[in-house]
Amino acid sequence: MLPELFAIFGNPVSHSKSPMMHNFAFHTLKYNGCYGRYLLEDGARLKETFLSLGIYGANITVPHKEAAFEACDWCDEFANKVKAVNTIVLKNGKLHGYNTDGPGFLKAIDDFDNIKTILLLGAGGTAQATSMVLKDAGYKVTILNRTPARLEPFIQSGFECYDYNTLPKNTSFDLIANMTSAGLQDDNLPAPLSILEPLINNAYVCIDVIYGKETPFLKLARQASKPTRDGSAMLLNQGVLAFDYFTDHKFELKQIEQAMKIAFL
Ligand code: NDP
């Protein structure tokens, strides 16, 4: 029997570890699936591309999560709330959309004690998904973004939001998370140094959702002697939940996690 095909769509996509994670899990759990990657330049072509490839499911990464939400025929309650989709499953010819980024990030920080306030750098799809989950879990979440207009949906949802010109001086947060794509393919910091330095100095911990490298943001935090963590834990957690949707809840989450972890050795 031919394997069920899955893929990750993004731009860039060559850095993605998702194919390795999912293929290890398919192999270990003896599920007849195969997972590849697809460089998608135009998010508006996501649906036709998905259908023309004959795949059964997909993950969506930067910068197409909002386009993926638009492309879906049906989304679950959480994806509808955050208007960003990172997991699509084909069901009866229809694209069903989910978002596993928020729960994935929440689990990735659950071992840090004494974190009450969180600053998210960035206001894209990942920040959308994560901010809601963190708020529901009881954290006080603030958003800082380069482009003020992109803060609008966060303001509508009741978050405290700032751009580089409006962030009050001497403000501090327990955890700072880089949710921009600055540092993914370049050496950019996610905000001007003059803003970042005092924020990092006053924080307990700094996290980047970019994985597999020390970004300029994490380097700055390490130089300030702060505990740091890259995006690997979030990546693993969101992947486990996506695999659970792809395989229609056939496996225990713990089993999937064990199988996927091999990709991080
Ligand atoms: P989006 O394209 O939706 O949003 C990008 C955000 O980054 C915007 O807020 C944008 O600000 C900001 N940004 C981009 N470049 C800069 C810069 N040079 N300086 C300041 N801000 C900048 O991206 P996503 O939300 O989908 O993804 C964000 C990051 O999260 C990516 O690096 C992605 O790889 C990573 N990620 C990791 C996951 C994991 O499992 N570890 C899961 C999901 C995402 P502006 O509005 O001003 O343009």
Side-chain angles (χ1 to χ4, degrees):
M1 215 167 88
L2 287 173
E4 284 176 7
L5 299 178
F6 301 84
I8 179 154
F9 291 105
N11 183 16
V13 76
S14 59
H15 70 286
S16 175
K17 225 174 177 154
S18 292
M20 206 175 17
M21 288 161 49
H22 286 271
N23 285 326
F24 269 125
F26 287 140
H27 178 76
T28 309
L29 299 171
K30 300 188 178 14
Y31 189 92
N32 192 18
C34 182
Y35 189 114
R37 67 181 87 228
Y38 190 95
L39 175 68
L40 182 72
E41 286 175 353
D42 181 1
R45 301 194 61 193
L46 197 147
K47 188 171 188 172
E48 62 175 279
T49 308
F50 184 108
L51 294 172
S52 69
L53 289 172
I55 58 178
Y56 180 72
N59 286 124
I60 320 299
T61 188
V62 65
H64 299 314
K65 288 177 194 181
E66 284 134 331
F69 171 74
E70 298 298 334
C72 285
D73 300 298
W74 177 91
C75 287
D76 78 352
E77 196 184 333
F78 179 58
N80 270 321
K81 196 168 160 187
V82 300
K83 297 185 172 31
V85 158
N86 80 328
T87 302
I88 297 179
V89 181
L90 186 68
K91 288 188 180 168
N92 302 320
K94 304 277 184 212
L95 271 57
H96 286 211
Y98 308 90
N99 191 307
T100 67
D101 283 332
F105 183 81
L106 184 66
K107 187 160 186 282
I109 62 163
D110 69 0
D111 59 327
F112 287 119
D113 296 330
N114 300 326
I115 302 295
K116 292 194 173 62
T117 58
I118 298 181
L119 178 69
L120 302 185
L121 306 173
T126 308
Q128 281 275 6
T130 309
S131 55
M132 297 285 186
V133 171
L134 292 172
K135 187 180 174 187
D136 290 348
Y139 294 100
K140 183 174 184 310
V141 181
T142 303
I143 323 289
L144 175 69
N145 198 51
R146 178 177 62 179
T147 307
R150 209 156 179 183
L151 292 166
E152 206 46 52
F154 293 87
I155 295 168
Q156 304 273 327
S157 302
F159 289 99
E160 203 172 300
C161 294
Y162 300 104
D163 61 52
Y164 300 161
N165 295 317
T166 57
L167 184 76
K169 286 200 174 23
N170 303 322
T171 185
S172 67
F173 304 89
D174 300 332
L175 185 151
I176 302 175
N178 176 25
M179 295 202 174
T180 75
S181 40
L184 180 63
Q185 279 202 303
D186 50 46
D187 288 327
N188 291 331
L189 283 167
L193 186 63
S194 58
I195 290 181
L196 283 179
E197 260 179 345
L199 287 171
I200 290 175
N201 286 334
N202 288 328
Y204 292 129
V205 57
C206 295
I207 295 195
D208 208 310
V209 295
I210 296 170
Y211 56 86
K213 67 188 278 197
E214 186 182 57
T215 58
F217 171 69
L218 284 192
K219 187 174 175 193
L220 199 61
R222 178 174 56 77
Q223 286 167 344
S225 304
K226 298 295 170 180
T228 60
R229 182 172 286 180
D230 81 353
S232 300
M234 176 186 183
L235 178 73
L236 174 65
N237 299 333
Q238 64 77 30
V240 168
L241 297 173
F243 190 95
D244 185 45
Y245 285 122
F246 291 157
T247 54
D248 205 16
H249 316 293
K250 282 191 182 59
F251 304 98
E252 299 286 326
L253 294 184
K254 234 2 259 137
Q255 271 183 297
I256 304 171
E257 186 180 334
Q258 288 306 327
M260 271 194 176
K261 263 189 178 163
I262 304 168
F264 292 84
L265 294 178

